[in-house]
Amino acid sequence: MSDTDTRDPTSLRTPIVAVLGHVDHGKTSLLDKIRGSAVIEGEAGAITQHIGATAVPLDVISEIAGELVDPDDFDLPGLLFIDTPGHHSFTTLRSRGGALADIAILVVDVNDGFQPQTLEALDILKRSQTPFIVAANKIDTVPGWNPNEDSPINATYDAQSDRVRQTLDTSLYEIIGNLSDEGLSADLYWRVQNFQRNIGVVPVSAMTGEGVPDLLAVMMGLSQRYMKEEMEIDVAGPGVGTVLEVKEEKGFGTTIDTVLYDGTIRADDELVVGGMNEPIVTDVRAILQPRPLAEIRTENRFEKVDSVSAAAGVKVAAPDLADAMAGAPVRVVRNRDRQEVIGEVEAELADIAVDTADNGVVVKADTLGSLEAMADALEEAEVPIVRAEVGDIAPRDISVASTADEHKERTILGFNVDVLSDAEQRAEIDDVRLFTDDVIYQVIDEYETFVEEMERAQQDTVLDNITRPARFRILPDHVFRQNDPAVVGVEVNSGTLQNNTFVVSWEGNEPTRVGQVKGIQEQGEDVDEARAGERVSVAIDGPTVGRQIEEDDELWTELPEKHAKILEQELASEIPGDELEALNMYLDKRRKRDPFWGK
Ligand SMILES: Nc1nc2c(ncn2[C@@H]2O[C@H](COP(=O)(O)OP(=O)(O)OP(=O)(O)O)[C@@H](O)[C@H]2O)c(=O)[nH]1
C-alpha cells in the first residue's frame, strides 16, 4: 500500500499538466517516455489512461524520480498529463476564466532552440499566467554524448566529457537567453530558488529518459509548493470541466471529450454544455473511459463507468451535443437550480466572446480559447472581425465572407482547422481567400502580406490613371518647328513627362495653359513618357515658339486638383523622390494663391 492511499482523496485533486512546444521538439516522445517509465516502474495498471490524458500517481512518480521525490513530502495525488497530438492549442483552453492547465512543460529542442510555436506557446503561457518549466529536450544528440538511461541529470552530466558538457551548456544558455529576450528570468532548475519568479530549465532526453526524474520532481515540487490551495476541491460536488474535443463515436453519436477539473460527473446527471448558439441542456447517456490495456482486443474501445471525479479526462455521450464547442464549459446541474447553472455557463462563454464589427474578416479556430487568442492578435494588428466561430471552415463561412464589400475582407483566417472539401470549391468560385496555419502569427502574417500586396497592386492601377507631375525646360537651339504643333527639345528636370498631358507655364502665381503634349520622341523613337534627367523632343499642340513659349522656358505638366490631392495624400510614398519634389513645388506655387488647393 502506498502512502497516497492513506490520505484523504476527497480533498486535493491532481494538477493538470499541459505539454507544449514547437512541432517535432518532442512533446509526444516525452509523454510516451513518462508513460513508458511509469508502466515499467509502477505495478501494472498504476498509471491510468484517460480520455485525452494520462494520470501518473505520486508513488509511480516517486519510483521514477528515485531519491528526487520522497512521497512523504507531498500530499497531491500525482500529475494528470493532457495528451498533445493535434491539440497544441489546448493550452488556450480555459477553466473558469483561468487556464485549464494548472502547470505546463514547454519543450524546446536543444539543437533547434526557440521556434515560432515555442514563442506562441510562451505568449499564451504568459497571458494566462500558467506556471511552467522548460524541458530542454534531446540532450542525447549532443555530439559525443554518453547516454545513461533514465538517469537524473547531475549523474549523467558528471559522466560526460568536458567538451560534451561545454556544448550542452552553450545550448542551454542560449535557451535561457531566449527566455530572457522574452522578458522572463530563467536558469537551470537547480539554481532556481523561487520558481514563481524564475523559470526552471530542465535538460532532458525523451529518448534515453535522462533528466526525466528531475522533470517529474520539479513538476511535483512546483505543484505542491504553489498550487496546493487551488487543488482543494469538493470531490463529491457537481462536476465542472472543459470540452477538449467534440467527436462522433460509433454507437454513441456525438460525444464530448472533457477534462473534469472539479467535482464528479455521474451517469445519471443533467449537464449544461457551452454551444455554438446557446447553452445545451442535456442528460448524460454514458460516461466512457478507455478500456484497460488488457482488454484492448474487444470490439469497443470504451467502457461505461458510473461516475468519474476530478481531475480526469472522460468521454461523455449525451443527446444534442452537435453544437458543443471545444473549449466550452461543461457543468453538472445535480441538486441545483438549472437556470442558475445555465447562467454560469453563459457567463463563462460571454467572458471568452469575441468582439465583432459590421465589416471584417471571418475567423475560425479549433477551440474557444484559440479563437480568443486569434481575436486578440487580430485586434493588435488592427484587423476587424465580422464573425468568429469554433470549427472547420465550412461552405456557410464562405457565404459570409463572400458578402464583404472590400476585397481584403473576402477572407477567412483559420487557426488549427481543416477546410471542408466543398468549402474549398466554394471559396474558389466565390473568390474568397483562405489563410490557415497552426501558428497564429503565421496566419496573420500571411494575411497582412496579402493585404499589402493587394493594396500595392491597387495603387499601381491608380497611378496608371493619374497625371504625374513634371517640370521640364526647353533647350536652347532645339526648336524643330514653330507651331501646329510646336516641336522642341526639352530636358526633364524632375518628375515624369507623359504624352497627352496639358502643359502650363507660370507667370507669378498663375499657371497658364499653353497646350497639350502630342508626342514624345527619344532618339527618333516614339515613347509614352520621359523621366527626370532625360532629353527628348516633344510635340506641343497649341503654342507658337516665340510667342506663348520660348527657348529656355520652364514648363510644367498641368495637374488636375483631384490628381494632386491623391498624389499628395495617398501615393506620396509610392512615387519617386524627384516626382515628389515636382509635386511639392507645384503645390507650393498653387497654394500661394489658394492655401486649400488640392486639400
Ligand atoms: N535523439 C532524440 N530524438 C528525439 C527526442 N525526443 C524526440 N525525438 C525525436 O524527434 C522527433 C519528433 O518527436 P515527437 O515526439 O513526435 O515531437 P512532437 O513535438 O510531439 O511533434 P508533434 O506532435 O508532431 O508536434 C521524433 O523522431 C522523435 O523520435 C530525444 O530526446 N532525443
Side-chain angles (χ1 to χ4, degrees):
M1 270 258 162
S2 71
D3 295 12
T4 38
D5 297 331
T6 62
R7 296 194 184 100
D8 178 6
T10 60
S11 59
L12 291 173
R13 73 159 166 83
T14 318
I16 298 167
V17 184
V19 184
L20 46 141
H22 191 71
V23 61
D24 279 349
H25 280 194
K27 302 178 290 286
T28 312
S29 305
L30 192 60
L31 267 170
D32 282 350
K33 186 73 202 177
I34 293 169
R35 268 194 289 256
S37 309
V39 169
I40 295 161
E41 296 290 347
E43 309 89 82
I47 65 158
T48 43
Q49 196 58 46
H50 291 222
I51 296 291
T54 306
V56 186
L58 176 62
D59 56 347
V60 178
I61 288 174
S62 148
E63 290 278 344
I64 300 173
E67 58 188 28
L68 295 180
V69 173
D70 177 352
D72 290 335
D73 293 341
F74 298 92
D75 43 21
L76 290 174
L79 297 169
L80 182 78
F81 290 88
I82 304 190
D83 291 337
T84 51
H87 303 104
H88 97 263
S89 66
F90 76 84
T91 34
T92 59
L93 295 181
R94 307 243 234 137
S95 64
R96 256 188 231 128
L100 174 62
D102 299 301
I103 185 165
I105 303 175
L106 179 61
V107 181
V108 183
D109 184 328
V110 278
N111 309 300
D112 238 12
F114 270 44
Q115 295 296 325
Q117 283 169 329
T118 320
L119 287 168
E120 183 155 304
L122 203 59
D123 224 39
I124 292 166
L125 290 172
K126 277 200 269 185
R127 209 174 316 146
S128 60
Q129 297 188 321
T130 310
F132 67 98
I133 56 169
V134 170
N137 190 31
K138 307 198 189 181
I139 55 169
D140 63 294
T141 59
V142 172
W145 187 261
N146 168 26
N148 293 277
E149 294 274 319
D150 302 327
S151 160
I153 202 68
N154 69 350
T156 191
Y157 195 77
D158 284 347
Q160 307 303 323
S161 70
D162 284 349
R163 237 191 42 199
V164 168
R165 273 203 291 261
Q166 271 169 16
T167 315
L168 177 61
D169 285 349
T170 308
S171 306
L172 292 173
Y173 280 109
E174 214 158 288
I175 290 175
I176 290 169
N178 289 144
L179 286 160
S180 146
D181 291 343
E182 296 305 311
L184 296 163
S185 144
D187 209 339
L188 296 168
Y189 88 86
W190 53 87
R191 300 209 182 120
V192 173
Q193 304 273 338
N194 182 331
F195 280 89
Q196 272 182 319
R197 256 185 258 142
N198 295 300
I199 312 287
V201 176
V202 186
V204 295
S205 164
M207 197 68 99
T208 65
E210 289 161 291
V212 170
D214 309 65
L215 191 71
L216 291 173
V218 179
M219 297 294 288
M220 216 47 226
L222 202 63
S223 311
Q224 178 75 26
R225 181 111 165 75
Y226 300 111
M227 239 159 270
K228 200 177 141 182
E229 277 169 23
E230 289 165 46
M231 298 301 110
E232 279 169 8
I233 59 165
D234 171 14
V235 170
V240 186
T242 301
V243 178
L244 204 56
E245 227 178 322
V246 183
K247 269 189 187 162
E248 285 297 316
E249 218 58 77
K250 225 175 128 204
F252 296 105
T254 311
T255 65
I256 45 173
D257 289 0
T258 303
V259 175
L260 198 65
Y261 59 82
D262 199 355
T264 296
I265 179 167
R266 296 192 201 133
D268 59 357
D269 272 329
E270 184 180 30
L271 289 185
V272 181
V273 182
M276 295 270 184
N277 304 308
E278 55 196 353
I280 302 160
V281 180
T282 183
D283 290 316
V284 174
R285 193 182 279 156
I287 300 172
L288 303 165
Q289 293 257 271
R291 279 183 189 277
L293 242 45
E295 296 167 40
I296 204 85
R297 265 171 285 125
T298 54
E299 266 290 288
N300 291 328
R301 288 184 296 140
F302 308 111
E303 71 178 352
K304 290 188 188 182
V305 293
D306 293 333
S307 73
V308 171
S309 299
V314 288
K315 185 183 277 296
V316 179
D320 306 322
L321 288 177
D323 273 353
M325 289 183 289
V330 179
R331 284 176 175 268
V332 166
V333 176
R334 201 192 310 146
N335 305 334
R336 293 185 58 202
D337 175 34
R338 181 193 298 146
Q339 216 48 48
E340 196 177 307
V341 180
I342 293 174
E344 287 169 1
V345 167
E346 274 172 346
E348 279 182 64
L349 287 175
D351 201 32
I352 330 179
V354 171
D355 286 338
T356 52
D358 291 342
N359 297 298
V361 299
V362 173
V363 179
K364 303 286 300 220
D366 61 338
T367 71
L368 269 181
S370 55
L371 196 63
E372 191 185 28
M374 269 288 268
D376 284 349
L378 283 168
E379 192 183 334
E380 226 162 86
E382 296 179 11
V383 178
I385 300 169
V386 69
R387 164 124 60 158
E389 268 178 12
V390 171
D392 290 333
I393 298 175
R396 66 191 180 93
D397 299 318
I398 313 288
S399 306
V400 174
S402 68
T403 60
D405 294 334
E406 280 204 57
H407 203 233
K408 67 177 178 191
E409 286 166 357
R410 295 170 71 88
T411 46
I412 301 178
L413 276 55
F415 170 63
N416 248 2
V417 292
D418 289 330
V419 182
L420 304 179
S421 63
D422 37 353
E424 204 148 0
Q425 280 176 354
R426 274 294 301 275
E428 240 171 74
I429 295 166
D430 291 355
D431 193 23
V432 169
R433 289 287 297 255
L434 310 180
F435 300 88
T436 57
D437 205 287
D438 51 13
V439 180
I440 289 179
Y441 297 110
Q442 211 85 25
V443 182
I444 295 177
D445 252 18
E446 271 179 43
Y447 174 70
E448 286 184 326
T449 310
F450 159 76
V451 172
E452 271 168 29
E453 278 170 10
M454 203 181 62
E455 283 175 350
R456 194 162 307 139
Q458 276 171 356
Q459 280 171 348
D460 286 349
T461 37
V462 172
L463 264 182
D464 283 347
N465 294 312
I466 239 172
T467 304
R468 315 285 286 270
R471 180 169 65 91
F472 55 103
R473 184 176 293 278
I474 301 176
L475 296 164
D477 302 326
H478 280 73
V479 176
F480 308 116
R481 193 175 151 144
Q482 295 293 125
N483 57 10
D484 282 327
V487 178
V488 292
V490 306
E491 180 178 280
V492 182
N493 303 111
S494 55
T496 306
L497 177 61
Q498 294 168 306
N499 201 10
N500 295 319
T501 48
F502 289 104
V503 175
V504 295
S505 67
W506 289 87
E507 277 160 26
N509 295 329
E510 202 59 59
T512 312
R513 183 186 283 186
V514 294
Q516 189 176 19
V517 178
K518 281 294 176 189
I520 307 174
Q521 279 197 345
E522 191 177 12
Q523 294 177 348
E525 298 280 328
D526 287 332
V527 292
D528 290 331
E529 58 177 42
R531 290 280 298 120
E534 288 177 351
R535 290 179 166 210
V536 289
S537 64
V538 184
I540 306 173
D541 203 13
T544 300
V545 180
R547 293 182 61 186
Q548 293 87 352
I549 58 175
E550 309 257 3
E551 285 182 27
D552 221 25
D553 268 0
E554 185 180 83
L555 298 175
W556 292 74
T557 296
E558 184 183 55
L559 283 185
E561 186 171 3
K562 219 187 248 171
H563 291 199
K565 181 175 173 177
I566 294 172
L567 279 164
E568 185 184 32
Q569 295 183 359
E570 292 170 31
L571 299 171
S573 61
E574 303 298 314
I575 59 178
D578 60 277
E579 208 171 295
L580 188 61
E581 182 190 77
L583 172 69
N584 287 331
M585 287 169 79
Y586 193 90
L587 289 173
D588 281 351
K589 284 174 177 288
R590 274 288 190 178
R591 287 177 185 162
K592 281 212 177 96
R593 269 203 65 185
D594 174 4
F596 294 103
W597 194 85
K599 286 197 177 170

